[in-house]
Amino acid sequence: MINLRRQLPYKPTERMNVVSYPIRDIVMEAKHEEAKGKKMIYLNIGDPPQYGFKPFNVIAERVKSALDESWKGYAPSEGDEQLRRTVAKIERGSPDDVFIVAGLTEGIDFFFHSFIGFGEKVLLPNPVYPLYLSKAKQFEGDSIFYRHDAEGQIDLVNLERKIEGAKAMVIINPNNPLGAVYTEKNLTEVVKLCADSDVPIFYDGSYDQLIFEGSQVDFRKIARNKVPFIYGSSLSKDFSYPGARIGWVAFHGDRWAEVKNAFFLLCNQRLSVNWEYQKAAAAALVDPSYPAYVADMKMKLMERRNTFVKMARTLQLSFPVPNGAFYAFMKIETPKWKKDLEFVRAALKEGVVFVPGSGFGRQEDGVYFRSTFLPESEIIEEAFEKIRRLL
Amino acid sequence: MINLRRQLPYKPTERMNVVSYPIRDIVMEAKHEEAKGKKMIYLNIGDPPQYGFKPFNVIAERVKSALDESWKGYAPSEGDEQLRRTVAKIERGSPDDVFIVAGLTEGIDFFFHSFIGFGEKVLLPNPVYPLYLSKAKQFEGDSIFYRHDAEGQIDLVNLERKIEGAKAMVIINPNNPLGAVYTEKNLTEVVKLCADSDVPIFYDGSYDQLIFEGSQVDFRKIARNKVPFIYGSSLSKDFSYPGARIGWVAFHGDRWAEVKNAFFLLCNQRLSVNWEYQKAAAAALVDPSYPAYVADMKMKLMERRNTFVKMARTLQLSFPVPNGAFYAFMKIETPKWKKDLEFVRAALKEGVVFVPGSGFGRQEDGVYFRSTFLPESEIIEEAFEKIRRLL
Amino acid sequence: MINLRRQLPYKPTERMNVVSYPIRDIVMEAKHEEAKGKKMIYLNIGDPPQYGFKPFNVIAERVKSALDESWKGYAPSEGDEQLRRTVAKIERGSPDDVFIVAGLTEGIDFFFHSFIGFGEKVLLPNPVYPLYLSKAKQFEGDSIFYRHDAEGQIDLVNLERKIEGAKAMVIINPNNPLGAVYTEKNLTEVVKLCADSDVPIFYDGSYDQLIFEGSQVDFRKIARNKVPFIYGSSLSKDFSYPGARIGWVAFHGDRWAEVKNAFFLLCNQRLSVNWEYQKAAAAALVDPSYPAYVADMKMKLMERRNTFVKMARTLQLSFPVPNGAFYAFMKIETPKWKKDLEFVRAALKEGVVFVPGSGFGRQEDGVYFRSTFLPESEIIEEAFEKIRRLL
Amino acid sequence: MINLRRQLPYKPTERMNVVSYPIRDIVMEAKHEEAKGKKMIYLNIGDPPQYGFKPFNVIAERVKSALDESWKGYAPSEGDEQLRRTVAKIERGSPDDVFIVAGLTEGIDFFFHSFIGFGEKVLLPNPVYPLYLSKAKQFEGDSIFYRHDAEGQIDLVNLERKIEGAKAMVIINPNNPLGAVYTEKNLTEVVKLCADSDVPIFYDGSYDQLIFEGSQVDFRKIARNKVPFIYGSSLSKDFSYPGARIGWVAFHGDRWAEVKNAFFLLCNQRLSVNWEYQKAAAAALVDPSYPAYVADMKMKLMERRNTFVKMARTLQLSFPVPNGAFYAFMKIETPKWKKDLEFVRAALKEGVVFVPGSGFGRQEDGVYFRSTFLPESEIIEEAFEKIRRLL
C-alpha cells in the first residue's frame, strides 16, 4: 500500500500564524544582497555593539571573576538574591517584588502569559515594539492602540476614549520606535487616567538612561501610590550588552501577590537564568563608573541624532525629533510610495536597510519606516545620499 | 464613591492553572524547615554542581577568552554559526538543521509551540519529566502515556495500542525519572512501530553520555532513514553545567522544512542566546579531554548508585535499577503510605527531600517517589537511615 | 476544619469574558422601568411579530399538517432532504452545498468555528451585527473592520487597504444596523477586490427580500465564478418568523469540500434541527403567495421608515437613509452627549428603548445609537416627541 | 501571473480536529451498503420514533393549538416563563434556576462553555456518551475518567483516587451507553465523595423515566443540601420526541449565581428556542396521561431487552444487564477481534449496524461495542443470527 501522507512535509501548528518578527525578517533579504557583493548600511536593528558602542566593561570583568567562583548550578529561578536586592534598592522596593529574566523579552512574555487573559483588553502604544503585538496575539488578548501627537507625546483624548475596561496599559519610554521621550506632565496625566479607570501599567524602561535633552524623569515617583505598575529594564540597551540576556522586572503596589506567584511559577518552569551574568549585573548596576560611561554614550548618540535629523530634513520626511533611545519613526510625505514594504525594498536595493512601519502596528494615515541613528555620522550621511533619489 | 474593585488583588490568568513545577515546589517546604535549624539532605534535584561535581572546565576557560573578543551583541537568533556546525558534525547533519536554545527546556517549549496543535495526541513516557506534562497542557495537546515494564524498558504492547494517530512520540533516554536506559533492541522495536504508524520522535538525550553498563547506543543510527526525529541535548547534565543555559536540537529527515522555519521564528522572537557561552559550548563539544572527564563522572555516579541500590534493598521499595542519569523512581511496597505527598512530607520532617511520584504523571497502581543518587555515599547512607522507620 | 472555599460562589470560565449581547442587555433595564409602571416604547429589537407583523401563514399551516405525519425523530443532521433541495434550487446549486441551521445565528457560529482559525483576519463591516464581534473573539480570530461612506456604501479605498491577508470577508446586505442596501456597482467592486486578493465571502442575506427602492440585486449572480462565497438566510426576517429557528447556508464555488465536511461534523454534534419546521420551510420557500405577502410587508415598512426619517430630520441626528431591513443607525450631532450609553439611558428614562452604537463595534468619530422603525407611525412619532428635549 | 494558492481547497480550522461523532459516522457506511441493495438492521442510534415508538401525543396537539396563538417572535432567551415555572415545580426550585435549551445537547455545550476552564479537570464516566468527550476537548478541559464495576455501578475506590481537584463530575443515569441504573446506595456514596472534595455534579437525566426494575430513585433528594448540582433532561427520550429539540437544565444550590448569569449570556447569544414547542413541553410535563404512556413504553422496552439479553448470552459477549434506557455495552470475549472497528465493520457487512466502543472513551482492557434494543424482538433475534458466525 502506498501511504501518500508520508510524502508530505510536516505542518507547523496553526498558532504559529501569529509569530513573526519583521525587524529581523528584512535582514534576510539584506544578507542575500550582501552575499551578492553589495555593500549594505544596516539601519534596521538596535544592537549598539554592532556600531562600535562598547558594553559597560564592568560586566565582562565580573563575569570572569564569577567563573572562578561557584555559580555553575541552577540559579534560584526567580533570580540571584544579590541581584534582586540590588534592583530592589534602585526601585525602592523589596527583593520579593523583583524577578530576573533572560532579557526583558522574557519579562514581556511572562507578563502577558500571567496577566492578560483571553479576550482581555491591553492598551498598547501605536506605533509599538513588535514583540508586544505578537505576545498579545499569542495569549489571545485584545490589543487596543493609543495614539501619539505630532511631538510624540501620548494623545490624552484618544487614550481617554479607549482606556475603559482595559486590563493593563503598556508604556515604552523612551519609545521604540518613535524615539520620543514623554514629559513629566504627559506621564502625570496618563497616570491620572489610569488611576481613575483603575488600569495598572507595564512600564518598559529598556532605554531609560538614554535621554538627551531635559532632566530625566523618574516614572516610579510619578506613579508610586497612584496606580499599580511593573517596571522593567535590562542590560541590553542602557549597558550596550544585548548578548548578556539579563533583564529584570519590579512590581510596585500591594495588589500583585498572586501575579507575582504566577511569575514565580513561570520562572520555575524554565529553571534558571545564567548565574555568572546575574552576578555581573549586580556589580554593574552599582558601579560608580557607570555615570561617566552613559554620559559618553549619550554624547555620541546625540551627535549622530543631530546629523540624522539634519539629513532627514533635506528629504520629504516628517517625524517627531527623537529625544532618547536610538530610533526615528519616519513618515514619507511624497505620494510616490503607497506601501511601506515597497519603499523598504527599494532602499534595500540602494544599499540601506530600514524596517517597514507596518511591523509596528497598522498605520492608517500613511507610509512609515523606522531607522536607527546608531552608526557614525559619515555613514548616516552616506545612507541618506543613497536613498535621496527615492524620496 | 468607594470603588470596591480597587480593594481586590489582581488575579493571574486562567491559563496559569496548568503551570506548576513539583520538583521545586517541595524545596520551598524544605527551605522552611532548614530555616528553623534542621539539617536537610536534598535528594530532589538533578543539579550536579550542588553535590560537588565540577563542570567541564573547558567551558569556563573559553567563556573567559570570549569575553575579550567581540560577542556582546545579539547572536544570530538560531545560534552561533560555529556551534551549529559543531553540533551538525556530531549529528551527521547540516548546520541548517540545528538550533541553539537556552537550555533544552526552551527547545521543548519550541517543539510543543510549533508542532503539537490543539487536540493533537502526543505520546509521553509514564513516568515523565514534568515539563512535558505542563507544555502539553499549555499548548492544548492531548497527552497519551506509554508504560514501562519492570526493567524500565518501553512496554511495546502498550505502546502499539496507543500509537495510532499520534502527532509525535517523546523518548527520554536515559529516562528521567526512571534512570532506565533503553536497549538497542527495545529502541529498534519502538522505531519500527513509529515508522509503521508514521509517528516522528522527539528524543531527549539530556543524559546520553551518562550510561553505566553496556555499550552506549547511538539512537541516531537506529532511527536514521527509518523515521523523522529531533535529537536534543545540552550542557546541563553531560557537562555538569546547568547554569550555562545552553542546549541544542537537531532535526533529522527531510520533512521538517516548515517546522524548522517555525523554530526560526520562535528563536527570532526571543532574539538571542548568550553568545560567549555558545562559543564555549563549541569548544567543549570537541575538546579531547572530555572522554576522561565524563569517564570520571560516570565512575563516581556508579559508586553512588551502588550504595543507593544496596541501601534501598533493605527497605520495602521496588524500582528498576538505574543504569544511567542520576535518578531512581521508587515504588513504596508497604501499605502504610496511601499518598505520595504524605510520604514525601514525612520524609521531609525526617530531614530528607524527595519528589512525589505524582509530579511525573498519574501513577494508578501505587505510591511512588523520585530520588537522585548524586550525593556522596555516606550522605546516601545517612538519608536512608533517617527514613528507615517510615518504611 | 472550616473549608473557606465552600463559602465562595462558583466563577464562570475566563472565556465568558467575550460573550455579551448588548441588544438584549438594555432590555433588562427597560423591563425594570416598565415593572415600576412606566410605559415603554421598544425600538431596540428586530422582532417583527412584536410590532404586529404576521408571519407568512403557510409556515404554521404546514407545521400543523407535518405534526400528523412522521417527522418526530432526529432529522438528518445536515437538514431535511426536501428543504435542502428547495434551497439548492433558489441558490442554483446542489443540495450537497446546503446546510439547515437553527437560525442563521447557528450558521454564523459554524462558519467561525470551522473556518476562522486562531489569529486569522476576518473582515467585518463597521458598524456590524454584534454576534459577529463576539464569535470572532470566541474563536480567536483577528477582527478587521471596513468602513462605510455617508450613503452607507462600502468604502472601497478603506477596504482595499485592509483586505490583504484576510481569511474571509463578511457582508451583511441589507446591512444591520445601517439599513443600507449596497448597489450593484458597489458590490461588483467589492467582489473584484475579493477576487484579486483571493478572499472568500460570507454573505448574510437575512433581510434580502426587504429592500424598498430600486430593483433588487442578486448577489449570487455578481459573485458566481468570480469568488467563492457562502450565502445565508432564514425564516426570521424575510418571513417574520424569528421563533421558528430555521435558517440555511449555501456554499458556492468548488473549494469548500473540506469546510463543508467540517459543517457536517458540527451539524452531527448537535444532532438535529426541528423537523416539522423544516418541512414548513420547504413549503414556504416555494409558495406562490409569498410575493404578495412580502410586497405588503415592504409597503408597511416603507411608510414607517418615511415617518421615522421625517421625524429624525427635525432633530440633530445624521444617518444614511435606510433602504432595507428595519433599522437606522443614527449619529448624535449635538455635543451634549459624550457617551452613547448615557444617551440611551436618558432615552430609557423618557420611555424609549434604543441600542447604544458601541455594541456594533467601536465608533471612533462620534456617538451613535440604533433604532428600528418597525412600530406603527403614531408610535414612532410619539417616541420622537419623548426624546426631543434630549437632543 | 499564475496564483497557485487559488488551486487549493480551503482548509477547516485546526480546532475541528477534536470534533467527531462516531455514532453517526458509522451510519454513512451503512447507508452506502443499503444503497447497494443490502437490508440493514440499525442497532446504532437511540431514536425511538424510528423503531415505532410514538411520541407522547400531548406534545403535537399542544403545538397545533399554540400555532393559532401568538408565539412566533423570539421567545425569552432563557426560556418561556410558563415552561420554566413547570420545570421549577418538578425540580422543587425557582424558575430563575431553570434554563430551556435546544435539546440537552445544547445544555451540555453551555455547561462546558461557562464552567469548565482551560486545563480544569472534569470527571467523566467511562464509558461515556461521546458528546462529553468532544465538549471537554473543544473547551480544553482535562478529562479524567471514573470506572464502573461489573454490575455497572460507579467504582467508588477508583472515583476516590481521581476526584481530588476536579472542577465538576458528570453523572449520566441511566447511563448511556451502559444501560446501567445506579442504586440509591451507590449514588449516596458518590454524593458523599463529591461533598467531601467539594465537587459539584452535572446530572444528565435524559433517560430518568426509563427504568425497568426496582423503585425509581430521585437524585435530587439524595443530593439536595449536600452538594451543588445541575439536573438536565429533555423531551427526546422520556417523551420519545428527539426531533422537538427541547431540553432543560435546573441549578440546585446557592453558589451558582455567576454561572447562571453566564448561561443567560449564552442563551442571549443564540437568541431563542422555538416557542410553540416550549408551550407544548409545558403542557406535556404536567399532563395526567403521561404515567400510562411511559408505563407502556417501559413494558415494550423490557420485553425487547429480555430478548436481547437471552440472545446475547448465546454468544461470547459479556455486559452489565441494562436496567434502563435502551442500550447495552458489550465486551467481545473471543480473541478473534482485536479492534472494535474491525468487528463493527464485519457486522455491517452482515447487515447489522453497531457503534464501536472506542467512540465512548478508550477501553484499555478489551474490545467493545454498543447496541440498542429498541427494535421489536423478531428483529433483535434476526440481528443476532446474522452476527452469530462472527463471534
Side-chain angles (χ1 to χ4, degrees), chain A residues 106-124:
Chain A
E106 189 180 69
I108 295 166
D109 177 83
F110 287 2
F111 169 68
F112 279 85
H113 195 150
S114 66
F115 194 59
I116 302 302
F118 178 79
E120 288 181 339
K121 279 170 63 174
V122 58
L123 269 167
L124 301 179

Side-chain angles (χ1 to χ4, degrees), chain A residues 87-378:
Chain A
V87 172
K89 244 179 237 168
I90 293 165
E91 298 280 339
R92 297 183 182 243
S94 148
D96 288 349
D97 298 324
V98 174
F99 293 84
I100 309 306
V101 282
L104 189 53
T105 300
E106 189 180 69
I108 295 166
D109 177 83
F110 287 2
F111 169 68
F112 279 85
H113 195 150
S114 66
F115 194 59
I116 302 302
F118 178 79
E120 288 181 339
K121 279 170 63 174
V122 58
L123 269 167
L124 301 179
N126 183 290
V128 64
Y129 180 60
L131 183 65
Y132 288 96
L133 290 173
S134 105
K135 287 294 158 187
K137 284 192 174 178
Q138 177 184 340
F139 291 111
E140 310 164 37
D142 195 5
S143 291
I144 307 291
F145 299 97
Y146 60 88
R147 308 273 164 181
H148 293 85
D149 64 22
E151 280 73 45
Q153 297 298 301
I154 294 173
D155 178 336
L156 297 167
V157 173
N158 185 273
L159 177 60
E160 186 172 9
R161 197 179 299 143
K162 300 189 174 161
I163 200 169
E164 209 170 292
K167 185 74 183 290
M169 175 179 182
V170 170
I171 298 176
I172 309 170
N173 188 33
N175 179 278
N176 173 2
L178 278 181
V181 178
Y182 305 136
T183 62
E184 181 164 1
K185 185 161 169 298
N186 194 237
L187 286 173
T188 302
E189 293 288 338
V190 168
V191 164
K192 198 174 164 326
L193 283 176
C194 285
D196 288 350
S197 297
D198 194 26
V199 175
I201 292 167
F202 184 91
Y203 188 91
D204 178 339
S206 294
Y207 303 85
D208 60 0
Q209 300 298 322
L210 305 179
I211 293 174
F212 308 143
E213 277 141 32
S215 62
Q216 200 177 326
V217 167
D218 185 349
F219 179 75
R220 302 170 195 93
K221 283 192 192 152
I222 296 174
R224 192 166 289 143
N225 297 326
K226 298 220 175 50
V227 72
F229 64 101
I230 303 170
Y231 196 107
S233 194
S234 78
L235 295 187
S236 300
K237 313 293 176 170
D238 286 350
F239 294 78
S240 287
Y241 210 141
R245 311 315 300 134
I246 299 288
W248 50 87
V249 296
F251 287 84
H252 292 261
D254 56 6
R255 291 167 64 188
W256 294 111
E258 293 183 52
V259 178
K260 285 192 290 180
N261 186 49
F263 257 68
F264 189 76
L265 290 172
L266 292 171
C267 287
N268 263 346
Q269 199 179 50
R270 61 81 166 110
L271 298 169
S272 171
V273 171
N274 182 291
W275 209 340
E276 289 98 349
Y277 272 84
Q278 293 194 62
K279 286 296 175 192
L285 280 171
V286 295
D287 195 274
S289 68
Y290 180 70
Y293 167 81
V294 79
D296 178 67
M297 184 178 182
K298 279 159 52 166
M299 213 178 57
K300 281 191 188 128
L301 282 173
M302 265 183 79
E303 183 203 315
R304 295 172 191 192
R305 181 208 53 179
N306 292 345
T307 304
F308 184 94
V309 170
K310 190 189 66 192
M311 293 300 296
R313 284 197 173 141
T314 65
L315 300 176
Q316 297 197 47
L317 295 168
S318 64
F319 56 99
V321 173
N323 190 30
F326 28 68
Y327 309 106
F329 195 68
M330 332 274 287
K331 185 176 181 183
I332 301 176
E333 296 288 4
T334 149
K336 179 174 170 190
W337 299 102
K338 297 270 181 289
K339 303 224 165 182
D340 54 0
L341 207 57
E342 284 167 10
F343 168 74
V344 167
R345 287 211 169 104
L348 201 145
K349 295 282 175 200
E350 302 294 327
V352 186
V353 190
F354 297 121
V355 189
S358 51
F360 303 90
R362 202 175 301 124
Q363 306 300 332
E364 301 225 1
D365 67 333
V367 180
Y368 289 82
F369 66 96
R370 189 190 79 170
S371 176
T372 76
F373 47 83
L374 279 167
E376 291 174 33
S377 290
E378 303 81 69

Side-chain angles (χ1 to χ4, degrees), chain B residues 335-354:
Chain B
K336 181 174 169 189
W337 298 103
K338 297 270 181 287
K339 302 226 165 180
D340 54 1
L341 207 58
E342 285 167 11
F343 169 75
V344 166
R345 287 210 168 105
L348 201 144
K349 293 284 175 197
E350 302 294 328
V352 186
V353 191
F354 296 121

Side-chain angles (χ1 to χ4, degrees), chain A residues 5-6 8-13 15-16 19 21 24-25 28 46-47 49 55 60 63-64 67-68 72-75 77 105 112-118 129 131 134-135 138-139 167 195-196 198 200 228 237 241-245 255-256 258-259 262 264-266 268-277, chain B residues 5-6 8-13 15-16 19 21 24-25 28 46-47 49 55 60 63-64 67-68 72-75 77 105 112-118 129 131 134-135 138-139 167 195-196 198 200 228 237 241-245 255-256 258-259 262 264-266 268-277:
Chain A
R5 187 179 150 216
R6 305 216 175 186
L8 297 175
Y10 294 122
K11 293 281 171 205
T13 53
R15 73 180 76 91
M16 288 300 304
V19 181
Y21 195 66
R24 291 214 158 189
D25 287 356
M28 308 274 290
D47 188 6
V63 172
K64 282 184 198 170
L67 285 162
D68 295 330
K72 296 183 172 58
Y74 293 120
S77 305
T105 300
F112 279 85
H113 195 150
S114 66
F115 194 59
I116 302 302
F118 178 79
Y129 180 60
L131 183 65
S134 105
K135 287 294 158 187
Q138 177 184 340
F139 291 111
K167 185 74 183 290
D196 288 350
D198 194 26
K237 313 293 176 170
Y241 210 141
R245 311 315 300 134
R255 291 167 64 188
W256 294 111
E258 293 183 52
V259 178
F264 189 76
L265 290 172
L266 292 171
N268 263 346
Q269 199 179 50
R270 61 81 166 110
L271 298 169
S272 171
V273 171
N274 182 291
W275 209 340
E276 289 98 349
Y277 272 84
Chain B
R5 187 179 149 218
R6 304 215 176 185
L8 296 175
Y10 294 122
K11 294 281 170 204
T13 53
R15 71 180 77 91
M16 286 301 303
V19 181
Y21 194 67
R24 289 215 158 186
D25 286 356
M28 308 274 290
D47 188 5
V63 172
K64 283 185 198 171
L67 285 161
D68 295 331
K72 294 181 173 58
Y74 292 120
S77 304
T105 300
F112 279 86
H113 195 149
S114 66
F115 195 59
I116 303 301
F118 177 78
Y129 180 60
L131 183 66
S134 107
K135 287 295 159 189
Q138 177 184 339
F139 291 112
K167 185 74 183 290
D196 287 350
D198 194 25
K237 314 293 177 172
Y241 210 142
R245 312 317 298 136
R255 291 167 62 189
W256 294 112
E258 293 182 53
V259 178
F264 189 76
L265 290 171
L266 291 171
N268 263 347
Q269 200 180 49
R270 62 82 167 109
L271 299 169
S272 170
V273 170
N274 181 291
W275 208 342
E276 290 97 348
Y277 273 82

Side-chain angles (χ1 to χ4, degrees), chain C residues 74-310:
Chain C
Y74 293 120
S77 304
E78 64 278 19
D80 173 71
E81 264 316 297
Q82 184 197 358
L83 177 53
R84 294 174 83 203
R85 277 202 309 274
T86 305
V87 173
K89 243 178 236 166
I90 293 166
E91 298 282 338
R92 295 180 184 247
S94 147
D96 289 348
D97 297 325
V98 175
F99 293 84
I100 308 306
V101 282
L104 189 53
T105 301
E106 189 180 71
I108 294 166
D109 177 83
F110 287 3
F111 169 67
F112 279 86
H113 195 149
S114 65
F115 195 59
I116 302 301
F118 178 79
E120 289 181 339
K121 279 170 63 174
V122 57
L123 268 168
L124 302 179
N126 184 289
V128 65
Y129 180 60
L131 183 67
Y132 289 96
L133 290 173
S134 107
K135 288 295 158 188
K137 284 192 174 177
Q138 177 184 339
F139 292 111
E140 310 165 36
D142 195 6
S143 290
I144 308 291
F145 298 98
Y146 61 88
R147 308 273 163 182
H148 294 85
D149 62 23
E151 280 74 43
Q153 298 298 302
I154 294 173
D155 178 336
L156 299 165
V157 173
N158 185 274
L159 177 62
E160 185 171 11
R161 197 179 299 144
K162 300 189 175 162
I163 200 169
E164 208 169 296
K167 185 73 183 292
M169 175 180 184
V170 170
I171 297 176
I172 309 171
N173 188 34
N175 180 277
N176 174 359
L178 279 180
V181 178
Y182 306 134
T183 62
E184 181 164 0
K185 184 161 170 299
N186 193 236
L187 287 172
T188 303
E189 293 289 335
V190 168
V191 164
K192 197 176 165 324
L193 282 176
C194 286
D196 288 350
S197 296
D198 194 26
V199 174
I201 292 167
F202 183 91
Y203 188 90
D204 178 338
S206 294
Y207 302 85
D208 60 1
Q209 300 297 321
L210 305 179
I211 294 174
F212 309 144
E213 277 141 32
S215 61
Q216 200 178 326
V217 167
D218 185 349
F219 178 76
R220 304 171 194 91
K221 282 192 192 151
I222 296 174
R224 191 166 290 142
N225 297 326
K226 298 220 176 48
V227 71
F229 64 100
I230 303 171
Y231 196 105
S233 195
S234 78
L235 296 186
S236 300
K237 313 293 177 172
D238 286 351
F239 294 78
S240 287
Y241 210 141
R245 313 315 299 133
I246 299 289
W248 52 86
V249 297
F251 288 83
H252 292 260
D254 55 7
R255 290 167 64 189
W256 293 111
E258 292 182 53
V259 178
K260 285 192 290 179
N261 187 49
F263 257 66
F264 189 76
L265 290 171
L266 291 171
C267 286
N268 263 347
Q269 201 180 49
R270 60 82 167 110
L271 299 169
S272 170
V273 170
N274 181 291
W275 208 341
E276 289 98 347
Y277 272 84
Q278 293 193 61
K279 286 297 175 190
L285 281 171
V286 296
D287 195 274
S289 68
Y290 180 70
Y293 167 82
V294 80
D296 178 67
M297 184 178 183
K298 280 159 51 165
M299 212 178 57
K300 282 191 188 126
L301 282 173
M302 265 183 81
E303 183 204 314
R304 295 170 191 195
R305 181 205 56 176
N306 292 346
T307 303
F308 185 94
V309 170
K310 189 188 66 191

